[in-house]
Amino acid sequence: MKIERVSPFEKEENLFATDFLKSKLVAFKEIINDPSSGFFHLPKNEELLQSSIELHKKFAHITEFVHVGIGGSSLGPEMLISALSKNKTNFTFINNIDPERISDQLEKVNIENALFYFVSKSGGTAELTAGMSIIINWLEEKGLSQDQWSKKFVFCTDPEKSILLDLGKQLDIPTLSIPSNIGGRFSVLTPVGMFPALFAGIDIKQLMQGASKACQYCLDENVENNPLLNTASYLYDLKNFEINQTVFMPYSSKLRDFCFWFVQLWAESLGKKNDLQGEEIFTGLTPIPGYGATDQHSQMQLFMEGPLDKCLLLLEVENFNTDYKLNSSIDFPSFKKLNNHSLVELMKAELYGTIMALKEMGRPFIHFKIDQNDAASMGELIIFFESLTALMGNYLNINPFDQPGVELGKVYAYQKLEKN
Ligand code: PA5
């Protein structure tokens, strides 16, 4: 991955000084070597990868993959499938509790060839439980006995303590593991993402190779060139200038769902009330999803001329594996302008236009380039952005791996159910 960081602000030199970057590399190593956070070591976890490969063999005939989960238990696989799916397996993501949507989704599922994959780290999330009840009732209405529907189920959960684990044992349902030290939003490289990826024909070994490559350069001892440390310093520097919104904008439709994965990772990890000493700081970097060129006709006006509080992360795919010529027999000026060009050239010209305009408007941005939208690049992006999130937690002096703020709403929701 190539990275160019452009900032119109005078940077705080200390944040980029060799000694400071070295201290942040030490801090990053402490984070990833802490037994409570395991995401960085997943590319080396052959055994975990193999568990998905083995179980996939048993269900290889499946053509309908129904994934049930919410938040980190769904966003990773969703973005992998939309970016990289290579075969005709039909994927359905039941990732919300909207009855109309679920009804539409189930209507399209061909039960005979279907596998239902229930993913929940904790195992007891209300949305997951509701989805499972609905699916079991629906299958029973269609005439399937418990013995029949349970053969179409696979679970994925914490291997030590989880209701889903217990239920899997009771019903003899194959259960894949999400290691206890991996939180939902950092779990895409576990069976949460790898098992569905296999049904989509994604080369998960290549994905892990890309991830390993990112692991190497995130630990580059040559700190002046280390992209992880410099990007974190850059974003932290901008935060001191009140640039506290992060727009993630790939120039690719296939990477659009990657934005939503990033949004959860960034928001849930960095938005915190308390710092590590327990002081109230109400911090965070607000993520905004976008995608080019479409958002040039939507949000870009705000990004260019609105409040000076955003940094754009632009992601360019250098090589698309297909293209269209834009030559046309229609003799109108708008068509003539495109003659002798291709669709990829138009996409690149639009990205170039955005970059030039951002520079002229004094708006900070980072320009990331991946060679192509493939499994290796995806693995690289995943580890890079997970690492960046974890390290930003250190810069902001907060815990990026918890989410105490989401608990309060859950308490009230259950109270409401009890009252009714
Ligand atoms: O990142 C997280 O930890 C959360 O977004 C969870 O993934 C989400 O709340 C779902 O939890 P669970 O996987 O336990 O059902």
Side-chain angles (χ1 to χ4, degrees):
M1 188 160 62
K2 296 176 202 147
I3 305 177
E4 184 199 7
R5 289 172 288 269
V6 177
S7 172
F9 299 97
E10 227 166 87
K11 62 182 185 184
E12 161 71 76
E13 292 300 334
N14 291 340
L15 290 174
F16 299 89
T18 305
D19 283 349
F20 180 78
L21 294 174
K22 278 188 177 160
S23 74
K24 288 298 173 191
L25 184 56
V26 171
F28 181 61
K29 285 182 185 169
E30 276 168 17
I31 296 168
I32 59 171
N33 291 327
D34 186 316
S36 67
S37 77
F39 76 91
F40 197 80
H41 306 290
L42 288 169
K44 291 194 300 257
N45 194 334
E46 286 286 334
E47 206 182 313
L48 195 62
L49 200 60
Q50 205 52 37
S51 64
S52 295
I53 293 171
E54 288 306 320
L55 194 58
H56 169 255
K57 283 184 194 154
K58 190 177 157 202
F59 290 101
H61 57 284
I62 286 301
T63 54
E64 292 268 344
F65 192 99
V66 182
H67 187 112
V68 188
I70 196 160
S73 287
S74 187
L75 288 159
E78 284 180 61
M79 66 89 166
L80 284 182
I81 304 310
S82 44
L84 298 172
S85 182
K86 290 269 183 294
N87 64 22
K88 297 212 162 35
T89 305
N90 191 29
F91 282 86
T92 301
F93 287 95
I94 299 190
N95 55 11
N96 198 6
I97 45 173
D98 177 337
E100 293 172 2
R101 171 93 175 126
I102 294 177
S103 164
D104 289 352
Q105 288 178 308
L106 291 182
E107 215 166 90
K108 295 194 188 98
V109 173
N110 173 351
I111 297 176
E112 206 184 322
N113 302 321
L115 169 74
F116 297 85
Y117 190 42
F118 296 91
V119 183
S120 174
K121 174 74 194 303
S122 62
T125 305
E127 293 87 344
L128 181 282
T129 311
M132 194 184 303
S133 294
I134 291 166
I135 288 170
I136 292 174
N137 293 341
W138 174 72
L139 289 171
E140 290 184 345
E141 274 163 27
K142 300 276 177 194
L144 274 75
S145 64
Q146 180 181 309
D147 192 44
Q148 287 169 316
W149 57 249
S150 61
K151 292 203 169 52
K152 293 178 174 293
F153 281 19
V154 171
F155 290 168
C156 182
T157 192
D158 190 295
E160 283 166 23
K161 193 172 175 290
S162 146
I163 296 163
L164 212 50
L165 183 71
D166 300 340
L167 187 64
K169 279 185 193 147
Q170 194 180 316
L171 298 177
D172 199 20
I173 290 171
T175 301
L176 292 165
S177 295
I178 310 170
S180 300
N181 62 355
I182 312 272
R185 56 191 177 273
F186 289 86
S187 70
V188 59
L189 297 181
T190 71
V192 171
M194 296 302 97
F195 187 58
L198 286 161
F199 289 86
I202 297 170
D203 186 338
I204 62 172
K205 295 218 161 139
Q206 200 189 62
L207 196 128
M208 289 301 187
Q209 278 162 14
S212 298
K213 184 173 158 196
C215 287
Q216 275 172 23
Y217 63 65
C218 285
L219 291 175
D220 190 349
E221 297 284 342
N222 181 355
V223 292
E224 287 88 359
N225 290 334
N226 181 312
L228 173 68
L229 305 175
N230 283 281
T231 303
S233 272
Y234 170 91
L235 290 171
Y236 188 69
D237 192 25
L238 287 177
K239 192 169 184 328
N240 292 331
F241 290 96
E242 306 297 320
I243 307 286
N244 46 32
Q245 305 200 5
T246 315
V247 178
F248 196 93
M249 190 163 170
Y251 271 66
S252 153
S253 299
K254 285 187 160 239
L255 290 171
R256 191 184 184 194
D257 282 351
F258 189 88
C259 299
F260 297 109
W261 173 81
F262 171 79
V263 161
Q264 188 219 7
L265 184 68
W266 209 235
E268 210 163 41
S269 303
L270 302 180
K272 297 288 152 74
K273 180 175 95 167
N274 293 326
D275 67 12
L276 290 173
Q277 288 68 44
E279 296 295 320
E280 287 191 348
I281 53 167
F282 299 100
T283 194
L285 290 165
T286 304
I288 300 172
Y291 74 121
T294 306
D295 266 299
Q296 292 189 193
H297 302 267
S298 173
Q299 302 188 87
M300 189 55 82
Q301 171 60 30
L302 175 76
F303 302 159
M304 284 289 175
E305 294 190 346
L308 187 45
D309 55 5
K310 294 174 188 60
C311 174
L312 274 75
L313 311 190
L314 304 168
L315 175 58
E316 177 178 357
V317 178
E318 290 200 280
N319 299 296
F320 285 81
N321 64 27
T322 189
D323 199 359
Y324 289 93
K325 285 195 167 43
L326 299 179
N327 292 355
S328 170
S329 54
I330 297 180
D331 193 20
F332 272 52
S334 54
F335 284 83
K336 277 187 167 169
K337 271 191 209 160
L338 300 181
N339 262 343
N340 300 325
H341 294 292
S342 75
L343 196 60
V344 171
E345 282 172 2
L346 179 60
M347 183 70 113
K348 297 214 173 247
E350 298 216 14
L351 173 57
Y352 172 81
T354 296
I355 287 173
M356 295 308 285
L358 286 170
K359 282 184 179 168
E360 199 170 307
M361 294 300 294
R363 305 270 151 164
F365 67 91
I366 308 179
H367 181 185
F368 296 92
K369 288 186 196 177
I370 53 171
D371 179 36
Q372 51 186 329
N373 174 26
D374 61 7
S377 297
M378 179 55 81
E380 215 180 320
L381 286 171
I382 290 168
I383 283 291
F384 181 78
F385 283 103
E386 287 181 347
S387 300
L388 184 63
T389 305
L391 185 58
M392 281 315 291
N394 171 272
Y395 275 75
L396 298 176
N397 191 29
I398 51 97
N399 178 0
F401 300 114
D402 66 1
Q403 54 283 330
V406 283
E407 295 309 318
L408 193 56
K410 284 188 198 169
V411 172
Y412 282 121
Y414 277 118
Q415 268 182 23
K416 170 90 179 139
L417 287 177
E418 275 165 28
K419 276 189 212 152
N420 287 348

